[in-house]
Amino acid sequence: MKRGRKTNEANSSSSEDRTEKESKRHKVEKKTTVVQSPDWANLLQDIILQVFQYLPLLDRAHASQVCRSWNQVFHMPDLWRCFEFELNQPATSNLRTTHPELIKQIIKRHSNHLQYVSFKVVDSSKESAEAACDILSQLVNCSLKTLGLISTARPSFMDLPKSHFISALTVVFVNSKSLSSLKIDDTPVDDPSLKVLVANNSDTLKLLKMSSCPHVSPAGILCVADQCHGLRELALNYHLLSDELLLALSSEKHVRLEHLRIDVVSENPGQTQFHTIQKSSWDAFIKHSPKVNLVMYFFLYEEEFDPFFRYEIPVTHLYFGRSVSKDVLGRVGMTCPRLVELVVCANGLRPLDEELICIAERCKYLSAVGLGECEVSCSAFVEFVKMCGGRLSQLSIMEEVLIPDQKYSLEQIHWEVSKHLGRVWFPDMMPTW
């Protein structure tokens, strides 16, 4: 009886072992089957979303047709927070444009998801600018944080009736209560529309770029500075700059400005009168924002420079887009001690030896220099580089404007300059900026 009981127990144990082994084998087979035949449609949506974010819009649209799951991801809000509308007239241009059907779909399904939006008018047609305004006027459910209106070929937005443009832009200003960045260069924006902007976004606005906006007055931009105390970056034309504006940006309530760009442009030579900013206003401004980048672009004719560089100003980046005289460049060396970058398009036929030496002596932070059609002797150029030393991270000058002398030839100069820079350097065959 005992032997039979042991036999039955052994058989029972063996049966249990076989059952357990078969169960494990089935589990292994099941796992193997899952690995070998994945169901792509059921991939986690966040993984698909990450893949979609790296795809161009057209590829993303094609991928959305693979299955229902991928199409659902295609319409997820995260994919539509940032969008650039490219607008032109296909009948007259071969440039890329955002398809009208896609625009309709975005307005219908994703306007309330948009946060970072730009409109790029890639031709100069009035029709493309009107299309941009039509889209803007429909963004009544949006809450934009960034808006950029970019016209790659002027005049574009300036060709529109001002009332039509202002009406469309006001829709965004009123409905977006958290605008932080606004780029509206070359547009007919005006003072009343800026007041609407301030009334709805004064606590959030940090960047305002609005060069070449002729309908804005100094009072209009002063309204922005007075009430948008978080403003950190500002770009505007010189005619909008005033002592009152600099003092408003220097008030205790205002944050420290990080970037101020000023375009000094003359459209009618001899007819534009440029005002002078008081030194005390600049002093107050730089005391409040000691680390600010003050960028100035000059597009003036020689006789129009008289109001500038008569006393010390805190400019850090200086660009001359037209020919500038030896006298003006000499004054730059005397009045711009904070200068970090200097680019001169042209000077004429008089060598700039003394002026460059003066700039090297007084501009102790200068680290980037570009000289176009500006003649300079090889000896003076080497001395300039020697005085500035290795801090010149960028140095560009056309080979044609270097004048050989008794001390250095064109073949010798690149070795001497390279020695003082601490790196291999050659003059340029053409400007690199």
Side-chain angles (χ1 to χ4, degrees):
M1 290 295 293
K2 291 182 179 180
R3 185 179 301 169
R5 187 181 302 142
K6 288 181 179 179
T7 301
N8 290 337
E9 289 176 356
N11 290 338
S12 175
S13 176
S14 176
S15 175
E16 289 176 359
D17 289 343
R18 285 196 302 271
T19 302
E20 185 177 354
K21 289 179 180 179
E22 289 178 0
S23 176
K24 289 181 178 180
R25 180 171 57 82
H26 287 311
K27 289 181 180 179
V28 172
E29 289 177 353
K30 186 176 180 180
K31 289 181 180 179
T32 304
T33 302
V34 171
V35 173
Q36 290 178 347
S37 304
D39 185 358
W40 293 106
N42 292 325
L43 279 175
L44 293 176
Q45 283 192 336
D46 58 344
I47 297 177
I48 304 173
L49 179 62
Q50 291 179 26
V51 174
F52 271 36
Q53 288 174 338
Y54 288 99
L55 294 178
L57 179 61
L58 187 59
D59 293 341
R60 194 188 302 169
H62 289 158
S64 70
Q65 300 174 17
V66 170
C67 61
R68 181 180 299 176
S69 178
W70 286 26
N71 186 261
Q72 291 175 348
V73 174
F74 178 70
H75 291 290
M76 290 180 69
D78 286 351
L79 285 178
W80 298 100
R81 300 196 193 284
C82 180
F83 194 83
E84 181 177 80
F85 294 93
E86 293 187 292
L87 303 168
N88 67 21
Q89 300 305 300
T92 58
S93 173
N94 295 322
L95 299 173
R96 184 172 58 180
T97 185
T98 305
H99 197 280
E101 290 301 320
L102 177 59
I103 294 174
K104 291 180 181 178
Q105 187 180 74
I106 292 173
I107 293 173
K108 181 180 179 180
R109 302 187 60 172
H110 302 294
S111 62
N112 60 326
H113 301 148
L114 296 173
Q115 293 185 2
Y116 309 94
V117 174
S118 62
F119 292 81
K120 181 183 289 185
V121 178
V122 295
D123 59 9
S124 58
S125 70
K126 179 181 178 181
E127 291 78 10
S128 296
E130 286 178 339
C133 287
D134 289 341
I135 298 171
L136 277 174
S137 63
Q138 297 180 67
L139 298 182
V140 293
N141 296 320
C142 71
S143 183
L144 299 186
K145 295 183 178 180
T146 295
L147 174 64
L149 302 181
I150 305 166
S151 181
T152 59
R154 299 179 184 181
S156 176
F157 290 106
M158 292 302 299
D159 278 348
L160 298 177
K162 190 176 77 164
S163 58
H164 178 45
F165 176 83
I166 295 300
S167 176
L169 192 62
T170 302
V171 169
V172 176
F173 288 173
V174 170
N175 290 281
S176 298
K177 305 295 185 181
S178 57
L179 264 177
S180 63
S181 176
L182 181 62
K183 300 179 182 181
I184 46 175
D185 292 341
D186 300 294
T187 64
V189 63
D190 59 7
D191 290 358
S193 57
L194 287 182
K195 290 183 179 180
V196 176
L197 168 69
V198 169
N200 292 276
N201 301 273
S202 61
D203 294 335
T204 58
L205 191 65
K206 295 181 180 179
L207 182 151
L208 178 60
K209 193 169 184 287
M210 48 176 300
S211 295
S212 301
C213 296
H215 300 294
V216 175
S217 72
I221 193 65
L222 181 60
C223 172
V224 176
D226 271 336
Q227 300 187 47
C228 298
H229 298 144
L231 197 65
R232 296 182 180 276
E233 298 185 39
L234 179 63
L236 68 163
N237 280 83
Y238 184 81
H239 79 273
L240 296 178
L241 187 68
S242 64
D243 294 291
E244 294 78 10
L245 176 61
L246 287 176
L247 294 176
L249 294 171
S250 307
S251 69
E252 292 183 2
K253 297 181 295 184
H254 207 287
V255 300
R256 290 182 174 86
L257 208 67
E258 297 173 359
H259 190 94
L260 175 61
R261 168 174 167 162
I262 302 168
D263 292 345
V264 191
V265 182
S266 172
E267 301 294 345
N268 302 306
Q271 299 181 21
T272 305
Q273 296 296 321
F274 292 97
H275 60 285
T276 300
I277 301 297
Q278 298 297 318
K279 184 178 184 301
S280 57
S281 301
W282 283 121
D283 290 343
F285 174 69
I286 203 63
K287 181 179 180 181
H288 179 73
S289 302
K291 296 182 179 180
V292 66
N293 286 319
L294 176 57
V295 184
M296 298 187 74
Y297 282 81
F298 281 86
F299 297 89
L300 301 183
Y301 295 93
E302 184 173 340
E303 62 273 14
E304 296 173 317
F305 274 100
D306 189 63
F308 302 99
F309 307 110
R310 291 299 180 183
Y311 53 80
E312 189 173 300
I313 59 173
V315 61
T316 56
H317 297 72
L318 189 55
Y319 305 90
F320 293 100
R322 291 177 182 156
S323 181
V324 59
S325 68
K326 282 171 62 71
D327 175 61
V328 170
L329 288 175
R331 281 151 46 191
V332 166
M334 301 295 292
T335 60
C336 304
R338 297 180 75 245
L339 197 61
V340 173
E341 182 172 8
L342 173 66
V343 174
V344 183
C345 174
N347 165 255
L349 301 177
R350 299 174 61 192
L352 296 177
D353 294 6
E354 298 85 357
E355 291 73 21
L356 279 181
I357 299 302
C358 177
I359 289 172
E361 286 177 343
R362 295 180 173 270
C363 303
K364 301 299 184 181
Y365 305 103
L366 190 66
S367 62
V369 175
L371 302 174
E373 297 179 12
C374 303
E375 290 194 350
V376 58
S377 71
C378 288
S379 294
F381 187 71
V382 170
E383 183 63 21
F384 168 78
V385 175
K386 181 179 179 180
M387 294 174 70
C388 293
R391 73 171 186 267
L392 280 177
S393 59
Q394 298 180 38
L395 179 62
S396 176
I397 186 170
M398 295 173 62
E399 185 179 49
E400 292 85 351
V401 301
L402 288 169
I403 304 172
D405 51 33
Q406 295 180 346
K407 198 169 184 180
Y408 298 104
S409 66
L410 290 177
E411 289 75 20
Q412 297 171 318
I413 192 172
H414 76 272
W415 294 109
E416 194 66 23
V417 172
S418 297
K419 180 179 69 175
H420 295 299
L421 289 179
R423 66 180 186 277
V424 177
W425 177 89
F426 289 94
D428 303 301
M429 298 304 295
M430 60 185 300
T432 56
W433 57 87

